[in-house]
Amino acid sequence: MKYIYLDHSATTPINKEVLKAMRPYLGENFGNPSSLHYFGQKARKGVEDAREKIANFLNCKNDEVFFTSGATESNNLAIFGLIKKIRKQNKDRKLHIITSVIEHPAVLEVFDQLKKEGIEVSYLPVTKNGLVLEDDLKKAIKSETLLVSIMYVNNEVGTIQPIAEIGKLLEEINKKRTPEEKIYFHTDAVQAANYCDCKVSYLGVDMLSFSGHKIYGPKGVGALYVKKGTPISAIVYGGHQEQSLRSGTENVAGIVGMAKAIEMIGKKDNLKIRKLRDEVAKKLLAKIPDAIYNGDREKRIPSNANFCFKNVEGESILLMLDMEGIAISTGSACSSGSLKPSHVLLAMGVPQEVSHGSVRITLGKENTKEEIQKLIKALPPIIKKLREMSPIK
Ligand SMILES: Cc1ncc(COP(=O)(O)O)c(C=O)c1O
């Protein structure tokens, strides 16, 4: 059977050119970049050239890019690291931090942990289309607010949040506050990197996280941009790599691969992906009754289509499509495997019983029109069959 992969928000296949760039660093260039000899310096050059490419993409300085094991670690470092530094400076300072209800668990769980530690936390709601409103943020800000962390693109419904607008708003607010009262701004840009402008000056962010494996690069590698002057402490201790902010021998091949993947991000694929995605949305909504298209129609990345099909379970749809060789997801990869309803859809006001019938289809560069036609042909009879079997009518 020829398998069709339509789950690119979970992870992407490694691009051939990326693999080619990585290979020498898994072979002859195996040195430890901290070693002073020839082998070490070869590896160091790979890491520093990669840092430069990533800095170019983000439009920041090379020494503002820190390598990590992925976006989960980048998010943890950004948020815990800032709080830790501020607490070191003044342990009695009252702190308030803001995020949105639709963040990935790699942010939400960090906020939940900090809440348990006594920090005041505000969770911004979203509209029924899955968008954060600047007005809600304005209302949530207090004199004690230290951090705002809002994701650039939601991993389940693909909505693009107004990060640059929030950046401008915070800049204005910060002008009226003392440097000690500055509100720092972090964004999880994992799902945005392929499609959105990630220049940090345009976004007005102090910290930005991303990951290799969502951009046709390798897994287990990511980066955190930290603007010069942002107070941040390490949360991992050891050999003082990455300016002592992230100890541990660098994943040289992964870093080189991630930088190559970033270099290859291009707008040319977006149009093709958008056309195929729009075809999926149009055809499935026309062929399947009681189907809801989740998320904003305009403010969403071109690869994402997210539906709720009433009176069916998303997991059953996923398994039946898998038997036909088509891979999709019921929500984020991290929440699949659990039957918990999607926190994102619930936050958008989708009733719990309807949210159980959600599926996420995310396209990529390699998908073809023929593959999309197969999905459009396969899915309607599956939904029909599942509905006939369902006790709920
Ligand atoms: C929005 C978002 N943030 C963070 C992560 C975690 O990234 P990583 O797998 O690199 O730890 C993901 C992965 O699904 C994601 O979609």
Side-chain angles (χ1 to χ4, degrees):
M1 180 160 26
K2 190 177 171 290
Y3 286 90
I4 299 172
Y5 187 73
L6 296 172
D7 197 13
H8 290 81
S9 279
T11 197
T12 48
I14 294 197
N15 180 288
K16 282 193 191 75
E17 292 297 310
V18 168
L19 203 55
K20 202 167 137 199
M22 290 172 71
R23 276 219 172 94
Y25 296 90
L26 295 164
E28 67 269 25
N29 299 345
F30 63 86
N32 183 327
S34 295
S35 301
L36 295 177
H37 47 61
Y38 169 82
F39 296 93
Q41 290 317 298
K42 265 272 212 259
R44 172 56 58 204
K45 181 152 174 23
V47 170
E48 295 315 319
D49 286 353
R51 203 185 305 278
E52 176 140 14
K53 285 177 188 162
I54 293 168
N56 283 343
F57 175 71
L58 298 173
N59 200 19
C60 68
K61 300 189 188 77
N62 293 10
D63 61 358
E64 292 176 316
V65 175
F66 296 85
F67 293 118
T68 65
S69 63
T72 301
E73 186 187 338
S74 297
N75 288 342
N76 273 260
L77 175 58
I79 303 163
F80 279 131
L82 171 72
I83 302 280
K84 193 169 170 189
K85 183 76 176 187
I86 296 293
R87 275 175 165 169
K88 260 193 228 167
Q89 289 170 351
N90 178 358
K91 69 176 174 28
D92 299 322
R93 183 169 159 191
K94 225 174 141 233
L95 298 177
H96 171 238
I97 56 180
I98 301 174
T99 190
S100 83
V101 283
I102 60 162
E103 297 296 309
H104 187 273
V107 166
L108 274 185
E109 300 255 335
V110 177
F111 270 66
D112 291 350
Q113 185 56 37
L114 287 167
K115 192 174 172 188
K116 283 187 201 140
E117 292 176 21
I119 288 178
E120 190 185 353
V121 174
S122 295
Y123 297 94
L124 300 181
V126 289
T127 63
K128 66 176 182 15
N129 285 358
L131 293 166
V132 169
L133 296 178
E134 271 177 79
D135 261 356
D136 287 324
L137 173 61
K138 264 190 224 164
K139 280 185 221 146
I141 289 172
K142 304 175 175 208
S143 56
E144 297 87 12
T145 305
L146 170 71
L147 170 71
V148 173
S149 179
I150 307 286
M151 71 197 325
Y152 199 168
V153 168
N154 180 264
N155 46 302
E156 291 190 35
V157 291
T159 43
I160 303 172
Q161 305 302 332
I163 298 301
E165 288 78 2
I166 292 175
K168 281 199 194 81
L169 171 73
L170 291 176
E171 193 186 337
E172 285 312 306
I173 293 173
N174 279 332
K175 276 184 193 158
K176 297 181 201 126
R177 294 165 75 118
T178 65
E180 290 71 42
E181 292 167 340
K182 178 178 157 114
I183 304 171
Y184 293 91
F185 186 23
H186 166 252
T187 190
D188 172 347
V190 169
Q191 299 285 348
N194 274 326
Y195 304 109
C196 307
D197 188 343
C198 285
K199 293 195 177 58
V200 291
S201 45
Y202 159 69
L203 296 173
V205 292
D206 300 292
M207 293 184 281
L208 179 147
S209 310
F210 65 89
S211 183
H213 73 107
K214 311 282 184 176
I215 54 171
Y216 305 88
K219 295 174 184 54
V221 64
L224 178 67
Y225 156 76
V226 183
K227 189 177 180 174
K228 268 242 141 37
T230 304
I232 185 162
S233 283
I235 56 171
V236 170
Y237 295 90
H240 298 279
Q241 288 89 347
E242 297 296 292
Q243 301 175 58
S244 292
L245 190 59
R246 201 280 186 172
S247 287
T249 303
E250 295 89 339
N251 173 359
V252 181
I255 289 168
V256 169
M258 178 167 66
K260 184 69 190 171
I262 284 208
E263 218 179 23
M264 296 192 65
I265 289 175
K267 300 271 176 285
K268 71 172 174 19
D269 303 303
N270 296 0
L271 209 63
K272 178 193 125 185
I273 294 174
R274 183 186 298 274
K275 257 176 105 173
L276 293 179
R277 188 275 316 273
D278 287 347
E279 173 89 354
V280 169
K282 197 173 118 196
K283 292 277 167 62
L284 292 183
L285 289 172
K287 284 174 174 244
I288 303 173
D290 283 331
I292 303 158
Y293 192 39
N294 298 308
D296 199 274
R297 298 228 167 206
E298 300 302 321
K299 293 175 185 159
R300 81 189 295 148
I301 51 170
S303 55
N304 175 294
N306 186 306
F307 303 92
C308 283
F309 301 111
K310 287 188 189 163
N311 303 332
V312 273
E313 295 286 340
E315 283 73 17
S316 310
I317 305 172
L318 184 155
L319 294 174
M320 288 186 75
L321 272 179
D322 193 42
M323 286 195 285
E324 300 206 18
I326 302 175
I328 60 152
S329 155
T330 52
S332 68
C334 314
S335 45
S336 55
S338 85
L339 288 178
K340 263 182 28 200
S342 149
H343 70 286
V344 175
L345 295 178
L346 294 184
M348 289 161 60
V350 175
Q352 184 156 327
E353 66 282 7
V354 177
S355 76
H356 280 299
S358 77
V359 296
R360 179 186 71 177
I361 296 162
T362 46
L363 281 68
K365 290 183 194 188
E366 303 294 332
N367 288 134
T368 61
K369 210 172 155 84
E370 290 69 44
E371 290 179 328
I372 295 312
Q373 296 307 341
K374 275 196 187 154
L375 169 78
I376 292 168
K377 200 167 160 218
L379 192 51
I382 288 178
I383 304 281
K384 190 165 178 275
K385 191 166 171 195
L386 287 171
R387 280 182 178 153
E388 281 163 5
M389 283 157 56
S390 168
I392 315 156
K393 298 283 175 225

